[in-house]
């Protein structure tokens, strides 16, 4: 069997080399592929790549039976030419293969990628370990495979989070997530300081809201014609916030020790500059919780206790927070927000909260951005008399919102399955009737 396998793989490699060579020659002859043809080639290449990755995972599982994890990870990284992190993911997925059913088949047939299979494997194992039972785990696994085949990684991750939340005890989840918190910094190949962090949703959502709020302010303060990508301003916001925190601490220290000891002029200047960008308003974190869950301090079947756009949180933590000024709490038993409408452009707080609770992701088909979202009058523009109502408002990421408000694109009708809307070039068919 080994000799046959080696020959087949050598042949597959030669086939790929021939295709790559032909593509290069066709380009040089001016006899290249049309856009549609290139897309078809790309789709097939994607499948071949997923299959090759699946083969690496399967063979890694065999390798792990004879060698230690560290050794195997090193081998996978050097043979595939990937980073240590990517190799770790492959090896970890290989270790969980034996527990998988439909996801293993989907991986072997090139229907899902390694990244998708890794999410499914982790979720299925967690559901199983949380006492959901093997039957529940298979149901979850089958559903996630279907999602992976039809939706992007963003949707898959969200469904995976929900599936775990259903079976896992919120207090146990909070404890587990607390031990999983982490922050690392390193110097990258360009000599820049890079970092990675992971925070439990309870505190993480607040940090994210503060960071996003500061980023938006810096973005808006920049001259409109010369704005940089928002990620750069987010980096500036992080620097500002950490410095402002240090300055505040130092000032508190000065006050404690008496003013005579230090009058640091540069600190004062920096504090003023930081203060000009953000006058210290606490951003709002929204939590959606069922009344019964809040009273009980725990969720049961079908009840929600979550931060929209982030994920489920511990109801006991919400109870502790009640009364804190930065928290707005929407109790799902409250009045039906769909009836609230407003004539001005300003979105009333009640309506804003309902829109936050309805899910926070860009409404454009194929876009899964959940940060820097802005509300858009989706059906009828505000300038053309469109009401500020639940039905006429939707979330768009800052980039898509800009393209729409600049008049470069418009939203098509929502897809009946996903509810998302295509972003069409201005003047394309499917135009909303005027008025
Ligand atoms: Zn978007």
């Amino acid at each position: 069997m080994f000799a046959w396998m080696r020959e087949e793989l050598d042949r597959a490699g030669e086939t790929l080399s021939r295709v790559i060579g032909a593509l290069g020659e066709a380009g040089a002859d001016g006899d290249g592929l049309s856009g549609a043809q290139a897309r078809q080639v790309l789709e097939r290449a994607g499948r071949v790549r997923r299959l090759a990755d699946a083969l690496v995972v399967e063979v890694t599982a065999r390798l792990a039976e004879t060698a230690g994890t560290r050794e195997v990870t090193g081998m996978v990284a050097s043979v595939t030419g990937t980073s240590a992190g990517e190799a770790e993911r492959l090896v970890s997925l290989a270790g969980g293969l034996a527990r998988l059913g439909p996801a293993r088949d989907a991986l072997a047939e090139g229907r899902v990628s390694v990244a998708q299979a890794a999410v499914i494997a982790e979720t299925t194992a967690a559901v199983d370990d949380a006492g959901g039972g093997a039957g529940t785990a298979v149901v979850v696994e089958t559903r996630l495979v279907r999602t992976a085949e039809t939706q992007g990684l963003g949707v898959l991750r969200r469904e995976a989070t929900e599936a775990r939340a259903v079976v896992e005890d919120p207090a146990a989840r909070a404890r587990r997530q607390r031990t999983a918190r982490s922050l690392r910094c390193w110097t990258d190949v360009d000599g820049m300081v890079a970092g990675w962090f992971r925070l439990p949703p309870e505190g993480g959502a607040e940090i994210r809201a503060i960071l996003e709020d500061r980023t938006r302010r810096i973005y808006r303060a920049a001259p409109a014609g010369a704005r940089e990508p928002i990620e750069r301003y987010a980096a500036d916001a992080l620097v500002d916030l950490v410095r402002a925190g240090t300055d505040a601490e130092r000032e508190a220290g000065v006050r404690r020790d008496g003013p005579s000891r230090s009058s640091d002029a540069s600190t004062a200047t920096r504090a003023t500059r930081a203060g000009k960008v953000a006058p210290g308003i606490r951003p709002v974190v929204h939590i959606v919780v069922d009344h019964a869950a809040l009273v009980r301090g725990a969720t049961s079947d079908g009840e929600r206790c979550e931060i929209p756009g982030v994920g489920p949180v511990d109801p006991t933590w919400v109870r502790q927070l009640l009364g804190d000024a930065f928290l707005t709490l929407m109790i799902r038993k409250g009045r039906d927000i769909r009836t609230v409408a407003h004539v001005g452009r300003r979105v009333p707080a009640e309506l804003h909260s309902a829109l936050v609770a309805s899910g926070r992701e860009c409404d454009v088909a194929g876009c899964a951005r959940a940060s820097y979202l802005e509300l858009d009058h989706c059906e009828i523009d505000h300038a053309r008399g469109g009401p500020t109502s639940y039905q006429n408002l939707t979330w768009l990421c800052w980039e898509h919102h800009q393209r729409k408000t600049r008049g470069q694109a418009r939203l098509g009708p929502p897809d009946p399955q996903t509810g998302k809307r295509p972003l069409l070039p201005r003047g394309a068919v499917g135009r909303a009737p005027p008025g």
Side-chain angles (χ1 to χ4, degrees), residues 362 364 367 369 397 400:
C362 178
V364 170
C367 180
R369 282 206 187 96
C397 69
H400 285 139

Side-chain angles (χ1 to χ4, degrees), residues 392-414:
N392 197 36
L393 287 169
T394 195
W395 295 107
L396 290 185
C397 69
W398 66 278
E399 193 186 321
H400 285 139
H401 194 208
Q402 264 201 343
R403 277 173 63 186
K404 190 181 168 230
T405 41
R406 277 200 205 125
Q408 295 163 337
R410 45 171 308 279
L411 292 171

Side-chain angles (χ1 to χ4, degrees), residues 233-423:
Y233 295 125
D236 296 342
L238 177 69
V239 173
D240 275 2
L241 286 165
V242 174
R243 277 190 185 149
T246 318
D247 290 346
E249 211 166 56
R250 202 174 306 163
E251 272 166 26
V254 169
R255 234 175 291 133
R256 256 202 312 279
D257 301 341
S260 59
R261 291 223 6 217
S262 158
S263 58
D264 189 335
S266 73
T267 302
T269 317
R270 207 198 284 151
T272 317
R273 187 165 53 87
K276 211 168 71 185
V277 182
I281 294 170
R282 288 207 95 169
V284 174
V285 173
H286 292 264
I287 296 174
V288 179
V289 59
D290 274 291
H291 182 257
L294 184 66
V295 172
R296 205 183 305 119
T299 46
S300 73
D301 278 0
E303 289 177 350
R304 281 170 83 193
C305 180
E306 62 178 45
I307 300 173
V310 177
V313 289
D314 187 0
T316 52
W317 171 75
V318 177
R319 283 173 61 135
Q320 282 167 19
L321 277 183
L322 268 173
D324 275 8
F326 70 85
L327 181 85
T328 60
L329 191 82
M330 277 194 52
I331 297 173
R332 273 177 84 204
K333 274 192 167 173
R335 66 186 270 215
D336 188 2
I337 208 73
R338 268 157 264 257
T339 60
V340 176
H342 202 254
V343 282
R345 180 174 272 280
R346 196 186 64 81
V347 180
E350 203 178 15
L351 184 54
H352 187 266
S353 296
L355 285 155
V356 167
S358 73
R360 293 201 65 185
E361 187 178 286
C362 178
D363 199 28
V364 170
C367 180
R369 282 206 187 96
S371 298
Y372 312 113
L373 296 178
E374 289 164 0
L375 280 171
D376 176 62
H377 286 73
C378 55
E379 297 292 343
I380 307 163
D381 282 347
H382 185 260
R384 289 162 58 212
T388 299
S389 68
Y390 188 85
Q391 286 80 5
N392 197 36
L393 287 169
T394 195
W395 295 107
L396 290 185
C397 69
W398 66 278
E399 193 186 321
H400 285 139
H401 194 208
Q402 264 201 343
R403 277 173 63 186
K404 190 181 168 230
T405 41
R406 277 200 205 125
Q408 295 163 337
R410 45 171 308 279
L411 292 171
D415 181 294
Q417 290 214 309
T418 61
K420 290 212 166 199
R421 297 153 183 274
L423 194 70

Side-chain angles (χ1 to χ4, degrees), residues 95-108:
L97 268 189
R99 289 176 82 170
L100 291 176
R104 188 175 187 170
D105 296 341
L107 185 67

Side-chain angles (χ1 to χ4, degrees), residues 9-281:
L9 285 173
D10 286 346
R11 206 170 305 146
E14 279 161 25
T15 304
L16 288 178
S17 295
R18 275 202 306 278
V19 172
I20 297 166
L23 211 50
E25 278 168 30
D29 297 349
D31 178 29
L33 301 176
S34 71
Q37 287 169 335
R39 204 155 77 199
Q40 285 191 38
V41 171
L42 181 66
E43 273 164 18
R44 281 165 176 76
R47 179 155 186 272
V48 169
R49 187 180 162 165
R50 291 194 293 276
L51 283 170
D53 282 344
L55 178 63
V56 170
V57 173
E58 287 284 349
V59 82
T60 300
R62 297 287 178 291
L63 210 57
E65 290 166 11
T66 59
T69 308
R70 269 185 82 102
E71 197 189 335
V72 174
T73 307
M75 227 183 303
V76 169
S78 99
V79 167
T80 59
T82 50
S83 69
E86 179 66 24
E88 265 171 40
R89 190 161 68 177
L90 287 167
V91 173
S92 144
L93 178 59
L97 268 189
R99 289 176 82 170
L100 291 176
R104 188 175 187 170
D105 296 341
L107 185 67
E109 287 160 21
R111 287 184 280 123
V112 303
S113 70
V114 160
Q116 289 169 325
V119 171
I120 297 169
E122 195 189 321
T123 310
T124 312
V127 168
D128 206 0
D129 294 344
T136 314
V138 171
V139 172
V140 167
E141 188 184 339
T142 309
R143 205 182 62 222
L144 291 179
V145 167
R146 212 174 308 132
T147 302
E149 284 172 325
T150 54
Q151 316 269 331
L153 202 54
V155 179
L156 177 67
R157 286 210 179 99
R158 207 168 46 233
E159 266 190 35
T161 310
E162 280 166 16
R164 283 170 83 145
V166 169
V167 294
E168 202 172 25
D169 169 48
R173 184 186 57 237
R175 276 196 302 278
R176 179 176 56 71
Q177 289 183 336
R178 187 159 166 71
T179 58
R181 72 193 190 280
S182 171
L183 189 150
R184 283 186 289 161
C185 286
W186 64 88
T187 307
D188 71 10
V189 284
D190 195 18
M192 288 178 78
V193 174
W196 179 93
F197 69 90
R198 216 173 164 215
L199 293 171
E202 287 84 5
E206 191 192 347
I207 300 298
R208 197 166 130 183
I210 293 169
L211 198 55
E212 271 189 30
D213 182 67
R214 175 72 68 118
T215 304
R216 256 184 236 275
R217 285 160 194 270
I218 300 174
Y219 180 81
R220 286 187 188 135
R227 278 178 185 153
E228 295 184 72
I230 205 149
E231 287 81 5
R232 296 186 195 165
Y233 295 125
D236 296 342
L238 177 69
V239 173
D240 275 2
L241 286 165
V242 174
R243 277 190 185 149
T246 318
D247 290 346
E249 211 166 56
R250 202 174 306 163
E251 272 166 26
V254 169
R255 234 175 291 133
R256 256 202 312 279
D257 301 341
S260 59
R261 291 223 6 217
S262 158
S263 58
D264 189 335
S266 73
T267 302
T269 317
R270 207 198 284 151
T272 317
R273 187 165 53 87
K276 211 168 71 185
V277 182
I281 294 170

